[in-house]
Amino acid sequence: MTEKPKILYIEDNFDNQRLVQRVLGARGYEVMLAADGMAGVALARESLPGLILVDVNIPGLDGYETAARLRSMPHLRESPVVALTADVSPGARERALAAGCDGYLSKPIDPHQLPRQIAEFIAGRREFVPPPVETRVLREHHQRVVERLEQRVKDLTEANAALQEADRLKNQFLTSLSHELRTPLTSVIGYLDLLRRGTLGELNTRQSEALDVVQRNFMLLNRHVNNLLYLQEYRSNQLALTVFAPLHMVSHVLAEMKARAQHHGVEFVTDVDELAPLHGDPVALELVLENLLDNAIKFTPVGGTVTLTLRDEPSRLIIRVEDNGVGIPEEALEKIFLPFYRVDASLADTECGNGVGLALVQHVVRGHGGQVTVRSTPDHGSVFTVTIPKHQATNLDETLTPRSE
Ligand code: ADP
């Protein structure tokens, strides 16, 4: 027995799907189902159905548009496309044939007739409309398609405007939230400092230890708020450029990160050149360093190593942060610099982030006219390399993707 060709049935009605599948299945056909025009086109693209049955009244692309799209696929040249429709009004058949269908069957489906009709089309039956009628019907069909297209463009334009407005409101909210969080945080750090210095009275060992935990978590919270705040600000503002000695900034970050690495059971190795004064934004660059190191420590299991290398070359500063942690899958390497993107939240230990860090790193680095690159192998680790040129830094505005507002 020769193998029966596959039938693709594009139909959103479940009862009809079942009926056709049962009737044609009983005759040895394999019936593939698609519930709308786009899904049908996708299925037809990757398979070679011997015949395509398409209901005219389906969601998304309608049956006529779907048929026209199917007809444009060279590999389906020999596969008849048959319209199935409850529309028996005058002109419906001509419309289907002019749109590219090879035949037209009316609903309701007749289970006794269907196998024979299908077999006829597979054997070569084709229906045509006379050329003058076809021209007229095609013109009307084109007009309808253009009207639908016009409506779609209008809908999409409106949806886009609504999304832009929602994005603007979200940014506004994030900015005001970060500002509101910052004020109490500043007061907390002041009091923490007083307590730790013993200005408010001597602390016993247990109190000091408890305060260490508070301090560590406070620093974490502070970084998240700073990330959010700076990301929002840097998207619209320029960098605060100045000539500064990076040493102070670096030692400040190193002290914090050493404590963090120790807490995580990760070895922290530094190889830092003597650093000449730099023209840049010290606060922003501190965040760059903090975020790269924070990630490296966060995504490296106990016993691993994080290495920070700072090279002061005549024309550029190079920051390299290397870890032998969980690594990043290749397909995620591009996306990790998008705001709020995280590869897999479960990979990070309990101190989860908000996916803002690397977006901020990229904004700041580009704002300094530099670049950030990453190499990574899953389960072996990652290397982030930042290059900051020593010429005059550029405005952030010029380097960022245009904002919607
Ligand atoms: P997060 O707040 O989640 O750390 P980031 O923007 O800093 O946000 O990083 C985005 C994602 O990139 C992280 O969630 C993580 O999946 C991945 N990532 C960044 N740095 C590393 C690293 N050193 N090792 C493994 N994955 C990393």
Side-chain angles (χ1 to χ4, degrees):
M1 199 180 90
T2 54
E3 203 182 312
K4 293 257 174 84
K6 281 190 235 165
I7 310 281
L8 170 59
Y9 183 29
I10 307 175
E11 164 71 273
D12 62 327
N13 181 298
F14 180 67
D15 293 335
N16 286 336
Q17 290 180 351
R18 287 260 314 259
L19 177 66
V20 168
Q21 217 164 19
R22 241 196 356 253
V23 171
L24 296 182
R27 303 293 174 118
Y29 293 103
E30 182 192 333
V31 180
M32 303 179 288
L33 296 171
D36 60 54
M38 295 292 279
V41 167
L43 207 53
R45 190 178 288 126
E46 65 200 35
S47 57
L48 180 56
L51 178 141
I52 301 165
L53 257 183
V54 54
D55 181 56
V56 166
N57 203 5
I58 44 176
L61 290 178
D62 70 18
Y64 303 121
E65 291 155 356
T66 304
R69 184 71 188 89
L70 293 171
R71 270 286 71 96
S72 70
M73 294 183 181
H75 76 291
L76 297 179
R77 217 176 5 241
E78 305 299 327
S79 309
V81 178
V82 180
L84 197 57
T85 170
D87 181 6
V88 287
S89 61
R93 177 177 171 277
E94 286 75 9
R95 240 191 345 260
L97 298 182
C101 293
D102 301 290
Y104 170 93
L105 299 178
S106 54
K107 277 183 174 174
I109 295 164
D110 182 342
H112 301 293
Q113 301 290 335
L114 186 67
R116 180 185 54 76
Q117 293 164 320
I118 293 296
E120 282 176 10
F121 281 112
I122 289 174
R125 174 177 155 195
R126 300 289 183 267
E127 296 176 17
F128 299 97
V129 269
V133 178
E134 187 177 41
T135 308
R136 179 180 52 77
V137 175
L138 264 181
R139 194 172 299 131
E140 290 166 7
H141 175 63
H142 282 161
Q143 273 163 6
R144 255 193 310 275
V145 171
V146 172
E147 276 163 24
R148 260 168 63 81
L149 186 65
E150 198 180 332
Q151 186 58 44
R152 286 290 154 96
V153 171
K154 191 163 163 271
D155 292 348
L156 282 177
T157 309
E158 282 169 13
N160 196 26
L163 280 176
Q164 286 189 5
E165 174 61 7
D167 190 49
R168 195 186 61 76
L169 290 174
K170 181 206 72 191
N171 281 333
Q172 207 175 45
F173 168 74
L174 282 177
T175 306
S176 80
L177 178 74
S178 341
H179 276 290
E180 276 169 29
L181 286 172
R182 255 206 112 157
T183 317
L185 284 180
T186 314
S187 135
V188 173
I189 189 120
Y191 278 99
L192 258 179
D193 203 38
L194 287 179
L195 280 167
R196 285 175 68 86
R197 285 169 192 270
T199 317
L200 302 180
E202 279 306 308
L203 300 179
N204 64 34
T205 317
R206 287 181 60 200
Q207 286 169 332
S208 284
E209 282 169 5
L211 219 53
D212 284 347
V213 178
V214 173
Q215 166 103 3
R216 214 170 32 243
N217 284 290
F218 172 83
M219 295 310 269
L220 208 60
L221 184 60
N222 198 39
R223 178 156 345 98
H224 290 325
V225 172
N226 277 345
N227 279 353
L228 269 180
L229 189 65
Y230 281 102
L231 185 68
Q232 292 305 317
E233 282 187 351
Y234 285 153
R235 280 175 151 189
S236 44
N237 292 346
Q238 295 175 0
L239 291 168
L241 299 175
T242 174
V243 176
F244 71 103
L247 181 69
H248 177 66
M249 161 198 110
V250 170
S251 39
H252 178 238
V253 175
L254 290 195
E256 189 196 334
M257 288 302 153
K258 266 184 192 143
R260 228 166 116 49
Q262 195 176 20
H263 175 66
H264 277 254
V266 169
E267 192 188 357
F268 184 35
V269 180
T270 55
D271 176 4
V272 178
D273 281 356
E274 206 163 303
L275 301 170
L278 191 68
H279 186 250
D281 183 329
V283 181
L285 287 173
E286 180 168 334
L287 280 175
V288 167
L289 207 53
E290 267 182 7
N291 276 292
L292 292 177
L293 287 170
D294 185 53
N295 278 343
I297 295 169
K298 192 164 63 178
F299 293 104
T300 299
V302 175
T305 306
V306 169
T307 308
L308 167 70
T309 312
L310 287 181
R311 288 277 162 269
D312 196 8
E313 295 185 354
S315 63
R316 56 190 191 162
L317 173 70
I318 297 177
I319 305 171
R320 195 165 69 237
V321 177
E322 185 169 357
D323 67 64
N324 57 5
V326 299
I328 304 163
E330 197 182 342
E331 65 276 9
L333 285 176
E334 291 273 305
K335 296 188 209 145
I336 54 173
F337 293 98
L338 295 174
F340 313 115
Y341 181 85
R342 311 183 65 209
V343 177
D344 178 356
S346 62
L347 284 181
D349 60 15
T350 46
E351 293 176 2
C352 35
N354 47 22
V356 173
L358 288 180
L360 181 114
V361 166
Q362 193 173 56
H363 278 295
V364 171
V365 171
R366 285 187 178 174
H368 283 81
Q371 58 171 342
V372 51
T373 55
V374 55
R375 273 189 294 118
S376 188
T377 313
D379 298 330
H380 285 83
S382 314
V383 188
F384 285 81
T385 307
V386 167
T387 317
I388 305 283
K390 287 192 175 165
H391 61 71
Q392 179 91 4
T394 54
N395 279 348
L396 259 175
D397 278 359
E398 294 163 17
T399 59
L400 301 183
T401 38
R403 294 250 289 157
S404 46
E405 299 111 289

